[in-house]
Amino acid sequence: MAEPADHDPATRDTLERLIAILGPRLDELRALGDELTSRWRGDAIRAGEGSRRRVQDLAREVGLVTREEWDELELRVAQLEHRLRLLEGE
């Protein structure tokens, strides 16, 4: 009966040579994949930020306010109302 292929010395030698050749290359491929993934994430974030700025600029052009500007305005109005109540109480 023949031995299984993984016990064959020629197959084992071939696999060892293949691993010796491809081992460093696999690490390089893995590093390249990691780099490409991180670049893609960075590009996606920058694209999102750029789009948000363009929408804010467009909203400002047509006379709309941003959420941040609205919140600031609400805070100022609340402060004025508070000061008026203090003055009325005197």
Side-chain angles (χ1 to χ4, degrees):
M1 184 168 194
E3 293 182 1
D6 58 343
H7 294 298
D8 181 22
T11 303
R12 187 174 32 240
D13 289 343
T14 303
L15 284 175
E16 287 175 2
R17 280 188 282 146
L18 187 61
I19 289 171
I21 292 169
L22 293 179
R25 300 271 198 271
L26 292 175
D27 290 338
E28 290 174 16
L29 284 172
R30 190 173 295 120
L32 179 62
D34 291 343
E35 181 182 341
L36 290 174
T37 303
S38 65
R39 282 185 183 182
W40 178 82
R41 286 184 189 129
D43 290 346
I45 289 170
R46 282 189 295 279
E49 291 171 352
S51 297
R52 187 182 68 185
R53 270 187 250 118
R54 284 190 292 274
V55 168
Q56 286 176 343
D57 291 344
L58 178 64
R60 192 164 286 122
E61 281 182 33
V62 296
L64 300 176
V65 295
T66 64
R67 169 56 73 184
E68 186 177 306
E69 292 169 335
W70 180 261
D71 291 343
E72 185 177 323
L73 183 60
E74 280 186 325
L75 176 62
R76 287 182 180 184
V77 169
Q79 289 171 338
L80 288 171
E81 289 174 338
H82 177 70
R83 289 177 184 162
L84 279 174
R85 280 193 299 273
L86 289 176
L87 288 174
E88 290 173 347
E90 289 181 359

